[in-house]
Amino acid sequence: MTSQSTSPYAKPPANMPTRGNKFYFWFLIALLLGYWLLSFFVERSNMSAQLLPPWDYLFPVNNPSTLTIFITGLFSFKVMRHLIPVIIGAFFAYEAAVHLVWQLYDFSDKKDARKFLGRLRSSGPSFEQPLLVSADTLEDHRQDSVILHVGGPGRIQIKGTEVAVTEINDSLCRILPGGKHWLYPFEYVHTVLDLRPQERTATDVSVRTSDGIPLTVTFNIRYRVKQGQQPTRQNPYPYDAEAVRFLAYKITVSDDSGSAGNWEKMPLGLTTKILTITLKKYLADEILHPDGREDEPYLALSRQVLQTAKAALDKNGIKLLDVNIHSIKLPDDIEEPYMKYWQMQSNLQIAMSQADNKAAALEAEEKARAEAEATMIQAILEGIQRARRSGATTNVGEVVALRLVEALEQMAYTSQQRRPEVYRPLIPQIVQVHQELANGDDESSGSKTQ
């Protein structure tokens, strides 16, 4: 990047206008002196040794010296009267020049025109107080200031937080950083750019979602001119010279009527366009009820817009610092119908979720019932097979009953986690029946052994 230290716009161009040909000026002086001497010799043609009036009355000398005759003769009335046409001609020429400048540059009065001519005839920087030039007041003060209305020569002062772009004959001349500067003849201050971070806010911007719902968005952005290099203590507000040159001549259309504006309206306009395109990709529910942080509900959307707009503005010499979406609202005329629609959809979603949960619970109960029946049947079969293996013939029912109680006890312990209010009170009863059957089985086995 090009910074102010290496900018090709730091020095005036080679074709800078000058005050004119100095040889011609001295030629006119020599011509005037020659005419003056000619007038002296014409009046002294009689070669008189006396002084010409009124010097002969002021200095009554009988034999004046040649030098005295020459000096007093130059300023005598007879010689000076020949210069009257020259003086009158010069006066009318000067007044004609003032009138021409007054009409040509549309000054408020001839006083400003004379002042401008005086600057043009000056040889260089003067000790006059420099004119403070600011981005906020530049256009307002153009008609009141000769330097801002027409151009140099003259002294100006630019704030340390700003940079000025000058031109001559509608062509770029120089880029002037903060400080005091001398403008060359007809060097015109085209614009002044503020290098500090700027903030702009857009209120109630109309957008439309992918499902056709109109919304109004309020957001703000922060941006600044591209720096080109890192700030330092000596230069806290650096700038990129190419970015400044581009922005100085950046003209944007600010509204539908076609009125033009400067570069300061471009960042907000471009960000608004990108925000409109981005929101058009989402449904209204996704925008109005986003998932995520409640303190910054539009954080993800702001970052998406920032990333896209930052890349676009960087090509135009502007660095976008931040995009912050404050609110996204429905218009007043459709907010109530939309809220009713959204509430109806929400209730429908809740009812469908409850129905899905109820169906899942019924399915789980049916599955558990089927598993319980299978477990009980398997327990009966295992009891019968165990009784047969043990060779018992009279206590098959007791064995089967014991296996059924064991299966019920196991099912109760397993099911109490799912529905404790139903199965937990049954566990003590099942345990008691299990113990009675087990004790009865032991007694019958003991009597049979005896």
Side-chain angles (χ1 to χ4, degrees):
M1 292 186 177
T2 305
S3 61
Q4 53 264 47
S5 59
T6 59
S7 171
Y9 313 110
K11 297 181 179 180
N15 58 348
M16 176 68 66
T18 61
R19 295 176 55 248
N21 196 332
K22 294 184 178 180
F23 174 79
Y24 179 72
F25 171 77
W26 291 110
F27 172 76
L28 291 179
I29 297 296
L31 190 63
L32 177 62
L33 293 177
Y35 177 74
W36 196 356
L37 290 175
L38 179 62
S39 301
F40 170 77
F41 286 113
V42 168
E43 294 298 333
R44 297 293 300 171
S45 61
N46 57 0
M47 302 299 293
S48 174
Q50 301 297 323
L51 298 178
L52 294 176
W55 302 106
D56 54 348
Y57 299 104
L58 296 177
F59 303 100
V61 180
N62 294 328
N63 295 312
S65 63
T66 305
L67 180 61
T68 303
I69 295 174
F70 176 76
I71 295 176
T72 57
L74 288 176
F75 295 95
S76 65
F77 173 76
K78 290 184 177 182
V79 175
M80 294 294 294
R81 66 183 178 178
H82 295 279
L83 298 180
I84 294 177
V86 178
I87 296 174
I88 294 176
F91 172 78
F92 281 111
Y94 176 77
E95 288 298 319
V98 170
H99 186 79
L100 176 63
V101 171
W102 176 45
Q103 294 293 331
L104 185 61
Y105 296 108
D106 193 23
F107 287 120
S108 58
D109 51 28
K110 289 188 176 181
K111 181 180 178 181
D112 293 336
R114 290 190 178 93
K115 191 180 298 184
F116 179 68
L117 275 179
R119 288 199 183 97
L120 287 177
R121 295 172 61 246
S122 62
S123 58
S126 61
F127 295 99
E128 65 178 356
Q129 189 70 17
L131 176 66
L132 181 61
V133 180
S134 174
D136 299 331
T137 61
L138 176 63
E139 297 304 325
D140 296 335
H141 293 172
R142 279 204 188 275
Q143 296 299 326
D144 302 330
S145 173
V146 176
I147 297 178
L148 299 181
H149 183 61
V150 178
R155 288 166 58 90
I156 63 171
Q157 181 175 357
I158 304 171
K159 294 181 179 179
T161 59
E162 298 176 343
V163 61
V165 178
T166 66
E167 60 184 15
I168 293 180
N169 297 329
D170 294 331
S171 299
L172 177 64
C173 178
R174 290 187 294 171
I175 296 179
L176 303 178
K180 297 180 181 180
H181 304 275
W182 171 260
L183 295 182
Y184 295 96
F186 298 101
E187 186 177 7
Y188 177 82
V189 179
H190 172 69
T191 188
V192 178
L193 279 66
D194 196 336
L195 301 176
R196 295 173 296 181
Q198 306 292 314
E199 185 171 349
R200 297 290 184 274
T201 301
T203 305
D204 295 336
V205 178
S206 299
V207 298
R208 192 172 292 272
T209 62
S210 61
D211 50 353
I213 302 298
L215 301 173
T216 57
V217 184
T218 299
F219 69 98
N220 75 300
I221 62 173
R222 291 178 62 251
Y223 63 92
R224 69 183 176 207
V225 179
K226 289 175 65 174
Q227 293 180 311
Q229 62 184 13
Q230 293 298 324
T232 61
R233 180 174 297 181
Q234 293 76 17
N235 186 20
Y237 295 100
Y239 60 87
D240 179 68
E242 290 296 332
V244 170
R245 181 193 64 82
F246 179 83
L247 294 176
Y249 294 93
K250 182 66 177 179
I251 303 299
T252 59
V253 178
S254 57
D255 51 33
D256 296 335
S257 62
S259 60
N262 59 11
W263 70 275
E264 293 182 347
K265 297 182 180 180
M266 179 181 61
L268 187 61
L270 185 57
T271 306
T272 301
K273 181 179 179 180
I274 293 176
L275 176 65
T276 303
I277 297 174
T278 303
L279 291 180
K280 200 172 183 180
K281 301 177 182 178
Y282 295 92
L283 299 173
D285 285 340
E286 296 174 339
I287 298 173
L288 295 174
H289 309 286
D291 298 330
R293 301 175 56 177
E294 296 182 356
D295 55 340
E296 296 184 57
Y298 311 114
L299 181 61
L301 185 61
S302 298
R303 289 178 176 175
Q304 184 177 355
V305 175
L306 173 63
Q307 183 178 4
T308 307
K310 187 175 183 179
L313 289 174
D314 185 75
K315 300 177 182 178
N316 292 277
I318 298 175
K319 182 177 182 181
L320 186 61
L321 302 177
D322 188 26
V323 175
N324 185 17
I325 300 177
H326 296 287
S327 64
I328 301 179
K329 300 183 298 183
L330 289 163
D332 296 336
D333 55 343
I334 67 171
E335 183 175 5
E336 184 176 354
Y338 178 80
M339 292 303 296
K340 291 182 179 179
Y341 169 78
W342 182 81
Q343 187 176 6
M344 181 181 65
Q345 292 292 328
S346 179
N347 294 336
L348 181 61
Q349 292 292 335
I350 293 174
M352 293 178 62
S353 178
Q354 290 177 350
D356 291 341
N357 293 336
K358 187 175 182 180
L362 291 175
E363 183 180 0
E365 289 182 1
E366 292 296 330
K367 184 177 180 180
R369 184 179 301 172
E371 292 177 353
E373 291 177 356
T375 302
M376 293 180 66
I377 294 173
Q378 184 178 2
I380 293 172
L381 294 176
E382 289 180 356
I384 295 174
Q385 292 176 359
R386 184 179 296 179
R388 289 178 178 178
R389 286 196 300 268
S390 62
T393 56
T394 58
N395 59 349
V396 173
E398 297 178 357
V399 173
V400 172
L402 180 62
R403 291 299 301 154
L404 286 175
V405 171
E406 291 178 353
L408 288 174
E409 184 178 4
Q410 183 179 2
M411 290 172 57
Y413 279 112
T414 303
S415 301
Q416 71 171 344
Q417 298 179 359
R418 186 171 69 251
R419 300 184 64 182
E421 71 280 359
V422 177
Y423 293 100
R424 186 172 295 173
L426 300 177
I427 293 177
Q429 300 179 18
I430 297 174
V431 172
Q432 183 179 359
V433 173
H434 186 193
Q435 292 177 353
E436 292 177 356
L437 289 174
N439 294 334
D441 186 35
D442 295 338
E443 290 177 359
S444 62
S445 298
S447 60
K448 183 178 180 180
T449 304
Q450 293 178 356

